[in-house]
Amino acid sequence: MFAAAGIILISILCVSHLYLKSSAPRSFTSVISAVIAVIAALGYYEIASNILISRSIGGQWVQPVVFAGIFIAVLAATKVLADFVLPQNVDFGQLPAHLTAVVCGIIAGIIISGALFIAVALCPLDLKWPYARFEDNNINISSPKRSLLNSDGIVAGLFGWISRGSLSSGKSFAVYHANFIDQLHLNRHKAKEGVYMIAAAEAVVLPEKNAVRIFDVDRRSYTFVRMGLRAGEIDRGGAMDKQGGISFTPSQVRLLCKPKDQAGEMSGTAHPVYPEGRLLDDELVELQLSETISISRGGFETFSRYGRVGWVDIAFSVPADMTPILLEFKQNTVVSLPKPVIGDAETEVFPGTEEDESEQAEYYDQYEEEAEEDRRGRRER
């Protein structure tokens, strides 16, 4: 209801403003300004947000605030500049001006409302805002609900198309954020229950060897990824919450896959695959996307190469004609995956990840001292 009302209201306001105030050329520039604002917001909000997150500024609200700030600033600046450059005496007649105002107003309204819905979906709010894309406890990723006119999907699709076209940089948005709107809504599924939506950019580590293994369980082939989650607060390179542990939902973890003959390319598009199970004591345990997986403070081990890490083996069902290239964790952590190897169900000790008991106590004491100094410094500020 909110989404439909928002799109209608924003579109009416855009049409009314252009109908009463703009000529045909200026109505057209309003659409161009909205498109440029979307490109700037989606293209740079992650870079700016990660800088602030690493400095402990803004917390989980930094991404929506930065996204909305970039969009509004660029939209206003480009519209003012366009109105300044275009001569005021350009007139194609009243009828063309009114028709252009209606068409451009509707298009601008869809783009602006789509950007607004993306900003809201980036917030740690209840699932009903801006609309309930998935059910609370029964997530069906194959049939998401859409807003009226699918305005947020149109905006994300437009930028994805641009990012792999004339403005491509070798790292396509449609690869790194395949099915972007689904990703946003799935990532905040347990946000109101204290599950963080973000982590440090370097919060996930992989073993040096055999991080991605393929083997059969009950005559079905699975791709297992051993994911290491770093201890430490987010601004210190980890993913810990206020309780000193790490919690996440399977809907916050996904593989991005490409056809095998395109595995070395980051352009084009990708296919997201979500977890189906978890390996515990050499047994495959089925996972629901809506459940919560937690690693308590005592669940981390110290490794000379990785620091304090909690390991999790996640099972995915990757299509036979595809290979996984990226692992995404929460909203802002992405790691490249090595080539999969044929393995077995035994959770082996990986080279370079043997637990170093001689360093365990020293590392833990050092971590606690640094954490206490950091907390004391924040209180003084």
Side-chain angles (χ1 to χ4, degrees):
M1 180 63 72
F2 169 80
I7 292 175
I8 294 172
L9 178 60
I10 292 172
S11 297
I12 290 175
L13 290 175
C14 290
V15 170
S16 300
H17 172 74
L18 298 181
Y19 191 91
L20 298 174
K21 299 289 186 178
S22 295
S23 62
R26 290 191 173 184
S27 294
F28 180 72
T29 60
S30 297
V31 175
I32 301 302
S33 298
V35 172
I36 294 174
V38 163
I39 294 173
L42 286 174
Y44 295 102
Y45 87 94
E46 283 187 290
I47 298 173
S49 297
N50 284 338
I51 294 173
L52 296 177
I53 289 171
S54 66
R55 298 178 180 178
S56 191
I57 300 175
Q60 296 192 88
W61 289 92
V62 67
Q63 284 195 328
V65 170
V66 169
F67 176 87
I70 293 175
F71 179 81
I72 293 172
V74 174
L75 177 64
T78 53
K79 186 64 172 71
V80 169
L81 179 62
D83 289 346
F84 176 77
V85 171
L86 283 174
Q88 296 183 1
N89 58 355
V90 176
D91 187 7
F92 294 99
Q94 194 173 53
L95 180 60
H98 290 168
L99 290 176
T100 305
V102 172
V103 174
C104 292
I106 292 174
I107 296 174
I110 292 174
I111 295 174
I112 293 172
S113 61
L116 172 63
F117 291 170
I118 290 174
V120 174
L122 284 166
C123 299
L125 299 174
D126 191 271
L127 292 176
K128 66 181 180 181
W129 300 103
Y131 62 94
R133 193 170 182 88
F134 299 98
E135 294 183 18
D136 192 3
N137 294 314
N138 184 25
I139 298 176
N140 185 357
I141 58 176
S142 63
S143 58
K145 297 179 181 177
R146 293 177 170 83
S147 63
L148 179 66
L149 301 179
N150 191 30
S151 62
D152 50 352
I154 291 174
V155 168
L158 173 64
F159 183 72
W161 174 73
I162 292 174
S163 73
R164 63 179 187 269
S166 58
L167 296 181
S168 62
S169 62
K171 293 185 177 180
S172 171
F173 184 85
V175 170
Y176 281 79
H177 290 291
N179 292 2
F180 180 59
I181 305 303
D182 287 352
Q183 180 191 8
L184 294 183
H185 286 259
L186 290 170
N187 183 60
R188 67 192 185 106
H189 203 70
K190 296 289 184 179
K192 294 300 292 182
E193 298 179 17
V195 177
Y196 279 16
M197 297 171 55
I198 60 173
E202 61 273 21
V204 174
V205 297
L206 300 174
E208 277 188 318
K209 296 182 179 181
N210 305 340
V212 183
R213 294 169 291 163
I214 300 175
F215 56 85
D216 293 343
V217 178
D218 295 331
R219 297 184 179 181
R220 183 178 177 185
S221 179
Y222 289 95
T223 298
F224 289 84
V225 178
R226 169 157 286 198
M227 177 177 67
L229 301 178
R230 291 185 187 271
E233 297 179 1
I234 294 174
D235 60 331
R236 295 167 60 86
M240 276 185 167
D241 53 30
K242 294 180 180 179
Q243 287 70 43
I246 295 177
S247 59
F248 63 95
T249 63
S251 64
Q252 292 181 314
V253 183
R254 65 181 194 161
L255 295 184
L256 295 176
C257 306
K258 297 199 71 173
K260 292 182 177 180
D261 60 347
Q262 301 176 17
E265 302 175 7
M266 293 300 173
S267 57
T269 61
H271 174 69
V273 177
Y274 288 88
E276 294 192 9
R278 178 184 179 187
L279 199 62
L280 287 174
D281 299 326
D282 297 339
E283 296 289 335
L284 181 62
V285 178
E286 184 179 354
L287 288 176
Q288 301 295 324
L289 292 181
S290 58
E291 67 180 274
T292 302
I293 299 173
S294 299
I295 303 175
S296 63
R297 181 183 291 270
F300 299 94
E301 298 173 330
T302 298
F303 300 90
S304 56
R305 183 177 298 274
Y306 307 106
R308 295 182 67 224
V309 175
W311 297 103
V312 184
D313 289 296
I314 307 293
F316 302 84
S317 182
V318 177
D321 60 338
M322 291 193 170
T323 187
I325 59 171
L326 297 171
L327 171 69
E328 285 190 334
F329 177 68
K330 301 203 172 184
Q331 189 59 43
N332 60 324
T333 304
V334 183
V335 293
S336 298
L337 294 175
K339 184 179 179 180
V341 298
I342 304 299
D344 53 42
E346 294 183 1
T347 308
E348 58 186 297
V349 176
F350 293 84
T353 66
E354 296 87 349
E355 185 176 0
D356 193 340
E357 295 182 359
S358 64
E359 296 182 5
Q360 178 83 18
E362 179 182 352
Y363 189 95
Y364 184 79
D365 291 342
Q366 180 184 358
Y367 171 81
E368 289 297 323
E369 291 176 3
E370 292 177 354
E372 180 58 33
E373 290 179 1
D374 186 59
R375 287 191 290 268
R376 186 163 49 248
R378 293 182 186 183
R379 287 195 297 268
E380 292 175 356
R381 290 197 296 270

